[in-house]
Amino acid sequence: MTPIQFVLLCLVAIGGTVAVLTRDPRRQVLLVGLNGLLLSLLFLALQAPDVALAELAVGSVGVPLMILIALARIERRPK
Amino acid sequence: MSGWLRQTMFVAGAAVLAAFLLRALGCLPGFGECRSAYRDYLNAHAVRERHSQNLPTAINFDYRGIDTIGEEYILFASVIGVGVLLREPRRMKPAPPHDVVPADRSLHEPLVHLSGAMVGTIVVFGIYVVVHAQLTPGGGFQGGAVVGTGLLTIYLAQGHEVFARIVRKPVVEAAEAVGAGGYVAIGLVTLVAGGAFLENLLPLGETGTLLSAGTIPLINLAVGLEVSAGFAALFVDFISELHRSAEETDP
């Protein structure tokens, strides 16, 4: 394992844990997106650029935005 | 069930699971030491056999082409599921345009301009990834995801009204269906032409050129269309649901 792979692996582990331990959904969304970015860098370091590309588009843009939209929708629900 | 009993059952179950997981972890090959005959064979022969420099694409869309149909239809089914869950109630009027994101444009001006400038770049890059499936990393799935995300940037830049005008639901749905059906249609054509289902019957061309690797680029075009339209359909459903509910609560 190269040092870059090791560092990224640790960062992904830390990022995922922090995202789980955060309780505010809005902050959580941002952390999930950041973790998606770290994951795609890790995939790149592991020589899987195609997976990195998919993770970048889905994990750091698509998923966070859909969660944000869902959150906005829930907050608008009439009581 | 009492709290004590539940806790005991959880601890016992978790202990058994942890034991199995640790045992499995001990049996894994070391980091980067995995060897397989299939991998060695493909590394040695795939470029010569399929004229595709990108081996993952040659595997996904040729050697294991039928598996990838299943993968594609997972996305297709998910998008249909979202569409059914979020479908417009019949009696409700469509919500009038109501921009949630840039409520106060002056505050978000840099974001609006940056997103607007990036839409074209992202979409073109996605199309590039799709058509270079057999040459460079990526392919229909990755490129399609990039195109879908690029379309979403229109929403960030211009809000709901412009997004709904450019990304139209019927067009997106038709494109998704054509993409999903196209993959199977290519397989059926190879059957009619006398080969096996999805057999690579087209001329393979010269390795390293845009029109090489036989049916692989065609299948990737179909998958790229399906994935980008599928993503766009998801975003359209979510965004119109958000704006419909905005209309319901504050008329």
Side-chain angles (χ1 to χ4, degrees), chain A residues 5 50 61 65-66 73 76 78, chain B residues 31 138 142 149 241 245 249:
Chain A
Q5 289 171 353
D50 50 337
V61 183
L65 200 104
M66 278 162 75
R73 167 73 178 87
R76 278 171 182 283
Chain B
F31 187 84
Q142 291 82 0
T149 311
E241 167 73 15
S245 64
T249 43

Side-chain angles (χ1 to χ4, degrees), chain A residues 1 5 46 49-51 53-54 57-58 61-62 65-66 69-70 72-73 76-78, chain B residues 31 56 100 125 129 137-138 142 145 149 152 231 235 238-239 241-242 245-246 249-250:
Chain A
M1 200 186 308
Q5 289 171 353
L46 292 169
D50 50 337
V51 190
L53 200 55
V58 177
V61 183
L65 200 104
M66 278 162 75
I69 292 176
R73 167 73 178 87
R76 278 171 182 283
R77 179 183 288 170
Chain B
F31 187 84
V100 164
F125 177 65
V129 172
Q142 291 82 0
T149 311
L152 181 65
F231 268 69
F235 295 140
F238 266 75
I239 289 169
E241 167 73 15
L242 174 64
S245 64
T249 43
D250 32 76

Side-chain angles (χ1 to χ4, degrees), chain B residues 64-99:
Chain B
R64 313 292 305 171
I66 293 181
D67 303 13
T68 309
I69 290 187
E71 212 176 315
E72 190 191 28
Y73 276 79
I74 290 174
L75 179 68
F76 191 65
S78 324
V79 172
I80 291 177
V82 169
V84 170
L85 282 175
L86 299 181
R87 68 189 179 279
E88 202 124 1
R90 211 174 298 159
R91 274 167 302 167
M92 202 172 289
K93 284 176 292 179
H98 182 295
D99 291 335

Side-chain angles (χ1 to χ4, degrees), chain B residues 97-185:
Chain B
H98 182 295
D99 291 335
V100 164
V101 173
D104 182 0
R105 280 281 162 94
S106 59
L107 283 179
H108 303 278
E109 196 107 352
L111 176 68
V112 168
H113 290 308
L114 184 66
S115 314
M118 278 167 66
V119 173
T121 319
I122 299 176
V123 170
V124 169
F125 177 65
I127 295 171
Y128 165 87
V129 172
V130 172
V131 298
H132 286 74
Q134 76 277 28
L135 304 174
T136 55
F141 278 100
Q142 291 82 0
V146 172
V147 172
T149 311
L151 293 176
L152 181 65
T153 319
I154 299 173
Y155 175 65
L156 292 181
Q158 298 292 331
H160 178 227
E161 196 189 345
V162 177
F163 181 75
R165 213 164 48 223
I166 296 175
V167 187
R168 289 174 190 276
K169 191 79 198 291
V171 178
V172 164
E173 281 175 338
E176 195 195 1
V178 169
Y183 197 153
V184 179

